[in-house]
Amino acid sequence: MKYSLIVLFLISTSTLFGQLVWKGEVLLNNHPAIGAIVSIKENKLMQVVDSLGQFNIPLSPGTYTVKIQTFDSKPLITTIDTKDIKDQQRLTYILVMNEQLIEEVVISGNLKEINKLQSTVPVEIYNPVFFKKNPTSNIYEALQNINGVRPQVNCNICNTGDIHINGLEGPYSMVLIDGMPIVSNLSTVYGLSGIPNSLVERIEIIRGPSSSLYGSEAIGGVINIITKSPEKAPHFSLDYFGTSWSEHNVDLGYGQKLGKKWNSLTGLNYFNYDNPIDNNNDNFTDITLQKRISVFEKIAMKRPENRAFSLGGRYFYEDRYGGELNWSPQFRGTDSIYAESIYTKRVELFGNYQLPVREKIFLNASFTSHSQNSYYGTTSFMADQRVFFTQLTYFKTIKRHDFVLGSSYRRTYYDDNTPATATFDSLNPKNNPNLINLPGIFVQDDWSIHDKHKILLGARLDHSDIHGAIFTPRIGYKYMINKSHLIRLNAGTGYRVVSVFTEDHAALTGARETFISEELRPEQSFNVNINYYGTVYFKNGSLFKIDVSPFYTYFTNKIIPDYLTDVNKIIYANSKGYAESMGISINNEFRSSAWKVILGATLMDVSTTENGEKTRQLLTERFTGTWTITYSFQKFPLEIDYTGNVFSPMILPLLGPLDPRPEFSPWYSIQNIQAQYKFSDKFELFVGVKNLLNWTPGKKLPFLIARSEDPFDKNVSFDQDGTPLSTANNPYALTFDPSYVYAANQGIRMFAGFRYLIK
């Protein structure tokens, strides 16, 4: 009643002063567009629609330019003439969802596009706009500002690494490109840095096991890199930036039409860092020197009824070296000057074809060839891996059931010069490459039992040449509280077949001996997680989002490298007990006309229990936080981005009781700031500073790399059991070892660059 009296008063007052009341309603997806902003250019008036999506705006006679938009819609720009306004008539304005926004669709939870809020499986989505807040040369580095996802440096010298999700090591995270397992095993360690940002449309992340859809390796989480569509890609794009450390990165993209039916997208990434820096004065490079090139091609065909057909390929080459400053390639593999030199060649081919039938049936296939030529001092590592993968997927909707049925086949060939691919006949040793066939079938039903309730049931059966049949079920439930708030509950299992030499770089570097104490069995896991996702709209047009996810994962047969039992060895064996990863992840986002703030925090406990004794996992933090804060100036096209992360202490691997380095890492934070100025729709300039606090891990330590002055242990004395002795030249009884590492040893640096785009 009170609201009606106010509206009547407005109408009568407006009429008295020669004004009319423009009344309207705004809809999005046939529902009131809560939070929509109606703005008028001429008088700079702005009004937020009410809970029914309606507005009432008094106007003087004239013609006005109007803009109507929500945060997740395309802007609707129109004109309104007061002559066309009729008493008591309410005009309807229909908004269209913005397909480029990260809330629009996800693929990873159901293998097909679905609105993020409709998905029973919680999926996090990040688009190129997010990654531009802190420019990087590759996907591996770009993930550093995602809550609960941490690029982990595994070696102080060659700086290779992997990606941790909720504290779990990189091999537990399955990395996909367009839904296909292109990055795995050998390339998990050596190939992640070769994925350029220029070809990425968005990145989707699922936390927790997803083996019921993706099979082996999807034991801790899934990172699905969705590449750009040739049909929607810009005609030309150029992205360049350089740093004060003399790093240079170039991304080129070129899209074109090839006749009436074909579209193509060509991408090129080149990265060069050839400026040895040794700020900690240990005569070793602080970060590796790198020359890297990646060439990408993808073509798509327009077919009847919009059926899909695309083919893609990528070639990647990298020359990476870290070590003593006076090293050159002539010393590669010798014991004169120490370095870790890695040559990587990689070819990827992948395609997607929708069968020409009434039903929705898709055939996907991929092939990867990864060649590794490496020397870690005098230790050579020569490896080749070839993976063929194909999958047939059938989508069917029957009433309230969305079915996904499929079959897949994965064939992995792996060969290297280590004992991993050799016979154990000492009298007649032979090379024995691994060849693993892994066929599987899967089914999933996403059942909408009510407008507010959904249940997901899924199961997969794989058959490994080595381990036989492996069954992985899953179950999920989603409750839609209302259009802005929901709760999800998911539980499932995962499994992983382990390859020590391809996944753990520590097995190859330094002086420690790798020792596999038994035949390793596949790791298995069970996970349960709860997700609450909600959005609150404010009357001034701003909004607040909250995403809370408690999680728990239980592992059996977990393989954890043992650095502590014998300081000269890294011992690998299946755990006789169990391992756990538990915690809670919280993401908050606030948006207004000028501000966008994303804050994330993850609290976790990752441990192993053997014989009733619980021990904390090495190199895993208890707390991590991330933030991205953007301020957009209203009067000119300038944005300021402040990004960063913070990590709590981790347990680090020491070499013995006399090792003077601390057992725990300190709290540390990497912070960055950037200014972006957009001169036009085609050209923008950005400048900034990385690592504002100039933090590096070795500043307060006696040394970071153990025995860097004697990398071949020529001056180390050992007892009859092979244990190093304390001597005048080696008072701490250490051997050369670069595995005491938890963050990149790269300090503050300026950067600047530009982006040029032709749509």
Side-chain angles (χ1 to χ4, degrees):
M1 182 67 182
K2 180 180 179 181
Y3 179 77
S4 301
L5 290 174
I6 293 173
V7 172
L8 289 173
F9 176 76
L10 269 173
I11 294 173
S12 60
T13 306
S14 301
T15 305
L16 183 64
F17 287 94
Q19 291 183 321
L20 297 173
V21 176
W22 173 37
K23 294 180 290 185
E25 65 173 349
V26 184
L27 301 179
L28 179 63
N29 291 335
N30 295 321
H31 297 290
I34 301 174
I37 300 173
V38 182
S39 57
I40 301 174
K41 180 179 179 181
E42 284 73 15
N43 57 15
K44 297 183 179 180
L45 178 67
M46 184 177 70
Q47 186 179 115
V48 181
V49 303
D50 60 23
S51 60
L52 299 177
Q54 298 179 355
F55 62 88
N56 300 280
I57 301 178
L59 293 176
S60 300
T63 302
Y64 299 89
T65 303
V66 178
K67 180 180 178 181
I68 307 174
Q69 186 178 16
T70 67
F71 284 108
D72 48 6
S73 76
K74 294 180 180 179
L76 174 63
I77 300 176
T78 185
T79 58
I80 183 72
D81 192 330
T82 54
K83 295 179 180 178
D84 300 326
I85 296 176
K86 298 180 181 179
D87 291 340
Q88 308 303 320
Q89 183 181 10
R90 188 173 295 280
L91 303 176
T92 300
Y93 299 90
I94 299 176
L95 299 179
V96 178
M97 291 290 293
N98 187 347
E99 297 178 357
Q100 301 302 316
L101 289 181
I102 61 175
E103 290 84 6
E104 176 61 7
V105 295
V106 295
I107 296 175
S108 302
N110 300 70
L111 297 182
K112 67 175 182 177
E113 290 193 344
I114 183 174
N115 186 283
K116 178 181 177 180
L117 296 180
Q118 297 300 317
S119 174
T120 307
V121 179
V123 182
E124 299 174 24
I125 314 164
Y126 300 89
N127 64 4
V129 174
F130 176 84
F131 297 119
K132 288 177 182 178
K133 306 296 183 184
N134 179 31
T136 61
S137 63
N138 56 76
I139 293 301
Y140 172 76
E141 295 179 9
L143 297 173
Q144 63 187 286
N145 285 114
I146 296 179
N147 179 35
V149 178
R150 180 168 65 90
Q152 167 67 43
V153 180
N154 293 328
C155 174
N156 265 317
I157 297 176
C158 67
N159 295 148
T160 52
D162 53 29
I163 298 174
H164 289 206
I165 297 181
N166 289 347
L168 301 177
E169 298 97 327
Y172 294 89
S173 305
M174 190 174 201
V175 182
L176 310 168
I177 296 182
D178 289 337
M180 286 172 279
I182 288 177
V183 181
S184 61
N185 290 340
L186 186 63
S187 58
T188 299
V189 176
Y190 302 100
L192 284 171
S193 61
I195 303 174
N197 295 328
S198 58
L199 64 84
V200 177
E201 176 68 26
R202 67 182 184 273
I203 295 178
E204 301 181 357
I205 297 176
I206 299 177
R207 302 169 191 263
S210 298
S211 290
S212 65
L213 277 185
Y214 295 108
S216 177
E217 298 173 35
I219 190 169
V222 172
I223 300 174
N224 192 5
I225 301 168
I226 311 295
T227 61
K228 292 179 179 178
S229 165
E231 295 176 320
K232 299 178 181 179
H235 177 63
F236 177 80
S237 64
L238 170 61
D239 190 329
Y240 165 81
F241 76 87
T243 75
S244 56
W245 278 45
S246 298
E247 298 165 292
H248 300 276
N249 183 78
V250 179
D251 276 321
L252 280 171
Y254 179 66
Q256 63 175 331
K257 290 185 177 181
L258 303 175
K260 296 181 179 180
K261 294 184 177 181
W262 293 90
N263 291 275
S264 76
L265 170 62
T266 304
L268 182 145
N269 171 257
Y270 175 73
F271 177 78
N272 182 283
Y273 170 64
D274 195 20
N275 179 37
I277 293 177
D278 179 25
N279 286 335
N280 61 4
N281 299 314
D282 61 0
N283 195 41
F284 274 69
T285 54
D286 286 348
I287 60 171
T288 55
L289 280 65
Q290 300 173 52
K291 296 178 182 178
R292 183 171 67 237
I293 187 167
S294 179
V295 182
F296 172 80
E297 179 68 34
K298 187 176 182 180
I299 60 174
M301 179 184 180
K302 292 182 179 179
R303 298 176 60 207
E305 300 181 22
N306 292 319
R307 293 192 180 99
F309 179 45
S310 64
L311 296 171
R314 185 170 72 99
Y315 172 78
F316 164 71
Y317 174 78
E318 182 183 68
D319 178 356
R320 171 189 291 256
Y321 136 71
E324 295 186 80
L325 296 178
N326 56 340
W327 183 87
S328 61
Q330 71 188 73
F331 298 106
R332 194 171 194 258
T334 70
D335 64 354
S336 300
I337 301 175
Y338 187 90
E340 299 185 359
S341 172
I342 304 167
Y343 302 150
T344 302
K345 294 181 181 179
R346 180 172 177 82
V347 175
E348 301 168 354
L349 300 171
F350 49 92
N352 177 32
Y353 177 72
Q354 184 177 353
L355 273 59
V357 295
R358 290 185 179 180
E359 304 292 338
K360 290 185 177 181
I361 304 176
F362 293 81
L363 177 65
N364 301 87
S366 66
F367 172 79
T368 62
S369 175
H370 189 105
S371 176
Q372 196 75 38
N373 181 324
S374 315
Y375 272 93
Y376 302 88
T378 57
T379 302
S380 67
F381 178 58
M382 308 296 169
D384 287 290
Q385 177 180 277
R386 293 188 286 274
V387 180
F388 171 75
F389 174 81
T390 184
Q391 180 168 287
L392 189 68
T393 313
Y394 174 45
F395 300 96
K396 183 66 175 181
T397 300
I398 302 176
K399 295 184 178 179
R400 289 181 170 266
H401 296 267
D402 283 332
F403 290 101
V404 180
L405 299 93
S407 63
S408 66
Y409 172 70
R410 183 172 175 176
R411 182 180 177 89
T412 302
Y413 168 90
Y414 176 75
D415 188 20
D416 64 23
N417 62 332
T418 73
T421 58
T423 60
F424 292 96
D425 186 352
S426 59
L427 299 177
N428 187 25
K430 294 181 180 179
N431 190 44
N432 185 29
N434 290 334
L435 186 61
I436 300 175
N437 296 290
L438 190 63
I441 56 174
F442 59 91
V443 60
Q444 181 170 284
D445 176 19
D446 204 0
W447 178 21
S448 299
I449 58 178
H450 186 271
D451 291 341
K452 290 182 176 289
H453 303 276
K454 282 182 106 175
I455 291 179
L456 182 143
L457 300 170
R460 183 183 184 101
L461 180 65
D462 290 298
H463 187 276
S464 167
D465 288 343
I466 301 174
H467 305 289
I470 304 174
F471 179 65
T472 49
R474 78 184 301 176
I475 185 171
Y477 169 72
K478 180 173 76 77
Y479 172 57
M480 202 78 183
I481 302 171
N482 54 43
K483 295 170 185 176
S484 302
H485 302 269
L486 60 85
I487 295 175
R488 301 180 177 103
L489 173 65
N490 279 269
T493 60
Y495 76 96
R496 186 175 75 96
V497 178
V498 179
S499 176
V500 169
F501 291 94
T502 65
E503 296 172 359
D504 191 352
H505 173 268
L508 299 166
T509 188
R512 292 177 184 251
E513 176 189 353
T514 299
F515 183 72
I516 301 176
S517 62
E518 63 182 12
E519 183 178 350
L520 300 179
R521 301 183 300 278
E523 297 182 337
Q524 294 183 308
S525 72
F526 168 77
N527 171 273
V528 60
N529 63 78
I530 303 171
N531 172 249
Y532 164 74
Y533 182 85
T535 305
V536 178
Y537 298 92
F538 300 97
K539 292 183 178 180
N540 62 356
S542 59
L543 62 79
F544 175 77
K545 293 184 178 181
I546 183 169
D547 192 325
V548 181
S549 297
F551 59 88
Y552 174 79
T553 306
Y554 179 90
F555 293 91
T556 57
N557 296 338
K558 196 171 191 292
I559 299 171
I560 303 171
D562 179 1
Y563 294 86
L564 305 178
T565 300
D566 188 331
V567 297
N568 296 311
K569 294 180 179 179
I570 307 174
I571 302 173
Y572 294 88
N574 287 108
S575 169
K576 300 302 185 293
Y578 59 90
E580 296 172 295
S581 171
M582 64 184 76
I584 184 170
S585 177
I586 302 174
N587 285 296
N588 296 317
E589 181 178 342
F590 173 77
R591 297 189 201 175
S592 69
S593 58
W595 291 92
K596 182 174 181 180
V597 179
I598 301 175
L599 303 175
T602 299
L603 184 66
M604 57 191 169
D605 180 19
V606 184
S607 64
T608 302
T609 300
E610 292 272 4
N611 300 319
E613 183 178 349
K614 180 178 177 180
T615 57
R616 182 178 163 190
Q617 182 173 292
L618 289 174
L619 298 170
T620 302
E621 67 279 6
R622 288 269 175 88
F623 172 82
T624 178
T626 59
W627 64 86
T628 299
I629 301 173
T630 299
Y631 180 76
S632 302
F633 290 84
Q634 301 299 298
K635 295 185 178 180
F636 44 95
L638 174 66
E639 281 189 356
I640 304 296
D641 301 303
Y642 173 48
T643 60
N645 48 48
V646 61
F647 299 98
S648 67
M650 313 172 200
I651 301 178
L652 303 176
L654 299 179
L655 291 181
L658 299 180
D659 194 332
R661 297 171 296 182
E663 182 184 4
F664 287 88
S665 64
W667 283 84
Y668 74 93
S669 175
I670 304 296
Q671 302 177 25
N672 321 284
I673 193 166
Q674 173 188 246
Q676 298 184 77
Y677 190 89
K678 196 168 186 178
F679 289 89
S680 66
D681 291 337
K682 294 183 178 180
F683 183 75
E684 63 181 85
L685 182 70
F686 56 92
V687 296
V689 181
K690 289 180 178 286
N691 197 355
L692 274 169
L693 303 180
N694 195 26
W695 181 89
T696 55
K699 281 186 175 180
K700 297 182 180 180
L701 301 181
F703 51 83
L704 195 61
I705 300 174
R707 301 283 298 170
S708 61
E709 74 281 4
D710 184 22
F712 298 101
D713 291 337
K714 294 180 179 181
N715 298 316
V716 177
S717 298
F718 299 90
D719 65 15
Q720 60 183 5
D721 297 324
T723 303
L725 298 173
S726 175
T727 63
N729 292 329
N730 186 15
Y732 303 120
L734 305 178
T735 56
F736 172 71
D737 183 64
S739 63
Y740 186 93
V741 58
Y742 53 95
N745 193 30
Q746 189 173 21
I748 188 171
R749 57 208 182 276
M750 301 281 293
F751 69 90
F754 66 88
R755 300 184 183 98
Y756 182 73
L757 178 70
I758 301 177
K759 296 183 179 180

